Structures are given as C-alpha cells and as structure tokens.
C-alpha cells in the first residue's frame, strides 16, 4: 500500500485530493494539522517526513488570497510560501521520497504574455504587481524542483492550475478570489434586498476557471503516469470575462438588482488562460463545466450559511 502525504489537507485543494485518493485502492492518506506541524519549520518537517516515510508527497499547502489580500500582505505571502515549499521539497529529498507534486498557480506567468500561456513562457516578462510576492515564491519552488531533478535525480513535478473554485473555498470578502467573492456578494445582496452589487474593476478581464474536483482527478491521473515534463499546466481551455461571470452568478443567486463595476479598482491581469496541451496529450480531460460547477459551489456556500 502506497502512503500519500497531502500537505494542506484541510484546504480546498487538499480536501478534494483526500476525497479522490480515499476512493482509490491501495493508498494510505497521511495528513497532519498545521497546528501540530508548522510547515515553515525545516527541522520539524524533516522529522515528520522521516517518521512517516511517504511514497508520494502532494504539496497543496500555501498561504493564498485574492488581489486585496496579496497587495496588503506581500511580506507574509513571500515568506510563508517560500518556507513551506522549500522545506517540503528538501525533506522529500533527504528522506528519499519517490515522487513529489508541487502545486503552483497560473499567476506565476508574466502579466502580458502571449495567450494561451505555455509552460515555456515562464520568466519572459514582468509579473502582475498585485500578486508578485506569491508568484515569486511559487516560481522559486518550481525552480527548486527543476534543479533537484537535474542535479540529484529526483522526480519532483510542478503543476500550475488555472483559477480554481469549489467546495471548501475561502469565501471571506477580505481575502477570497473572484468566484467565492462574487457568490458571497450576490447571496448577501439577495437576502438583504440590496439594489446593487459592486464589483472590482471594469469586468473586461477574462479568466479560465476549473472546479477543484477536476484538479484533484488530474493529480491522481498524473500520479499513475510516467511524466516527461517538469512543469505542467492544468486547465479547461475555456475562458470568460468577469462581467459575464458576474451575470451567471447573479442569475444563480436570483438577485434582481443591478451590477456596478468600480473602474477605480484594479482588474488584475487583463487575460489569463493556460495551454494544457502537455497534460491533454497524456489523455486527461476536465469533466465539470463552469455552469455546473458554479451551481454546485453556490449551493455549497448556502448550505454552510444555513448551518
């Protein structure tokens, strides 16, 4: 039986991974709460990996947030994410872990690079300033995996998912990403009979979104394969403007008021869609379309509010 350590198992990605691997045979899930193991502490991480001896590590642990949170706390974002990733990668090497999947984000790519974004476009231009600290930390962990593989013969892979959403997402308006933020706004606007919902930016920026359950299935798929590329994008190949996304969530929530776009606030990167050709060539495809995923996520949010 293979032992799989899912770091960050309580988060949106981690909890989705736990569900997927629990359905499969011959896997034992290793997990530990961040209150019991501070992943920023190198010595403690080394000891834990040595004691538990996982065959596979999936690093889904990170400090994450939306535009506002990234802009306000760049020091925390770069420190926490650098320490978490590097400690896990080095502990994997010291303890001879056979395979590691390091999760990054599509925000590591330049703000104005050609679309769809290929893995090779990394470091070809300036980053989006609002999430630069987070992106730099994730780029460093990607390069660490690359250098460990090159020098030390490890099998560590960096996966760059597109914008994610789904069950166990962060819906806090002060720190959430766009889909959970919009779900929260429209839900409360409806129940409080508000006349308008204000949204950051012009609404013209476009994004690609993927349900977190699809990402979890993609990672399990990759855990079964021989992988020839150190870096792999994971996306759906479909994009939508923030304006059209807001209209979809407005309709799902049954909000009858108006949508107001605050153009004094930033849009972020104008367009972002990843090229997932490498992964699709291996035979993987997403299964959850955006309309279905948004309904599922909205119902989940409402169910949590009702409790």
């Amino acid at each position: 039986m293979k032992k799989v350590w899912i770091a960050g198992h309580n988060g949106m990605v981690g909890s989705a991974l736990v569900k997927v691997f629990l359905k499969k045979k011959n896997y034992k899930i290793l997990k530990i709460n961040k209150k019991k193991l501070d992943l920023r502490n190198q010595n403690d991480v080394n000891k834990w990996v040595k004691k538990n001896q996982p065959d596979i590590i999936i690093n889904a642990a990170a400090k994450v947030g939306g535009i506002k949170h990234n802009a306000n706390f760049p020091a925390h974002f770069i420190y926490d994410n650098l320490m978490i990733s590097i400690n896990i990668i080095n502990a994997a090497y010291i303890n001879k872990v056979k395979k590691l999947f390091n999760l990054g984000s599509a925000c590591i790519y330049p703000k104005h690079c050609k679309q769809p974004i290929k893995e090779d476009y990394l470091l070809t231009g300036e980053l989006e300033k609002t999430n630069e600290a987070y992106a730099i930390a994730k780029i460093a962990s990607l390069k660490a995996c690359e250098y460990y593989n090159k020098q030390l013969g490890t099998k560590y892979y960096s996966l760059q998912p597109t914008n994610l959403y789904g069950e166990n997402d962060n819906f806090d308006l002060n720190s959430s990403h766009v889909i959970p933020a919009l779900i929260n706004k429209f839900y409360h606007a409806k129940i409080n009979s508000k006349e308008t919902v204000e949204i950051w930016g012009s609404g013209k920026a476009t994004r690609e979104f993927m349900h977190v359950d699809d990402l979890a299935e993609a990672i399990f798929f990759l855990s079964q394969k021989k992988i020839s590329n150190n870096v792999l994008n994971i996306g759906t190949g479909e994009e939508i403007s923030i304006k059209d996304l807001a209209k979809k969530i407005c309709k799902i929530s049954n909000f009858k008021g108006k949508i107001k776009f605050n153009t004094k606030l930033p849009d972020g990167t104008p367009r972002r869609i990843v090229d997932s050709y490498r992964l699709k060539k291996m035979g993987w495809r997403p299964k959850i379309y955006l309309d279905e995923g948004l309904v599922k996520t909205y119902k989940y949010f409402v169910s949590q509010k009702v409790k």
Side-chain angles (χ1 to χ4, degrees), residues 49-101:
V49 174
K50 182 178 181 180
K51 178 182 177 181
N52 291 276
Q53 290 295 308
D55 298 291
I56 300 172
I57 294 177
I58 305 173
N59 179 20
K63 182 177 182 65
V64 298
I67 291 175
K68 182 179 179 181
H69 213 52
N70 273 274
N72 289 342
F73 304 101
H76 292 128
F77 272 85
I78 196 165
Y79 177 81
D80 287 357
N81 287 300
L82 274 172
M83 296 303 292
I84 289 168
S85 297
I86 295 301
N87 288 343
I88 290 174
I89 291 166
N90 198 56
Y93 168 67
I94 291 171
N95 294 286
K96 297 180 173 57
V97 175
K98 296 173 183 176
K99 189 177 288 188
L100 179 145
F101 293 101

Side-chain angles (χ1 to χ4, degrees), residues 127-240:
L127 298 166
E128 161 61 43
K129 289 296 182 184
T130 55
N131 62 12
E132 185 179 74
Y134 177 83
I136 287 173
K138 288 298 181 180
I139 291 169
S141 64
L142 179 155
K143 285 296 181 180
C145 288
E146 178 185 324
Y147 299 148
Y148 273 62
N149 290 349
K150 182 178 179 180
Q151 179 184 335
L152 304 169
T154 53
K155 294 181 179 179
Y156 301 162
Y157 307 101
S158 291
L159 310 179
Q160 313 310 316
T162 192
N163 295 273
L164 299 170
Y165 70 98
E167 188 174 321
N168 288 325
D169 207 340
N170 170 26
F171 294 89
D172 185 337
L173 291 179
N174 290 316
S175 58
S176 60
H177 289 105
V178 61
I179 285 181
L182 290 176
I183 287 174
N184 190 334
K185 283 185 176 184
F186 280 108
Y187 170 81
H188 282 103
K190 178 196 171 186
I191 66 171
N192 293 315
S193 301
K194 290 187 176 181
E195 294 182 359
T196 62
V197 168
E198 183 178 283
I199 296 172
W200 279 43
S202 67
K204 295 178 181 178
T206 62
R207 293 290 183 271
E208 174 188 33
F209 295 99
M210 181 168 63
H211 194 280
V212 69
D213 288 350
D214 271 336
L215 173 63
E217 289 288 352
I219 294 171
F220 177 79
F221 172 87
L222 288 168
S223 73
Q224 310 300 298
K225 299 291 183 179
K226 184 177 180 180
I227 306 170
S228 56
N229 297 105
N230 174 62
V231 183
L232 288 167
N233 289 335
I234 305 178
T236 62
E238 299 179 359
E239 62 183 318
I240 185 172

Side-chain angles (χ1 to χ4, degrees), residues 239-307:
E239 62 183 318
I240 185 172
S241 71
I242 299 303
K243 182 178 181 179
D244 288 341
L245 175 68
K247 287 180 178 179
K248 284 182 180 290
I249 297 174
C250 179
K251 184 176 180 181
I252 291 167
S253 69
N254 201 30
F255 173 67
K256 301 301 183 182
K258 295 182 179 180
I259 302 172
K260 178 183 177 182
F261 291 93
N262 189 340
T263 55
K264 294 180 181 179
L265 295 171
D267 279 330
T269 302
R271 184 188 182 204
R272 185 161 63 223
I273 178 171
V274 299
D275 185 324
S276 302
Y277 174 76
R278 290 179 180 177
L279 179 58
K280 289 180 178 179
K281 189 178 179 182
M282 296 172 70
W284 182 83
R285 295 289 188 280
K287 296 178 181 178
I288 302 172
Y289 291 101
L290 183 61
D291 286 349
E292 175 193 352
L294 288 176
V295 170
K296 286 176 63 175
T297 307
Y298 186 83
K299 287 180 177 179
Y300 166 78
F301 175 75
V302 172
S303 73
Q304 297 303 298
K305 300 300 291 183
V306 170
K307 287 181 180 179

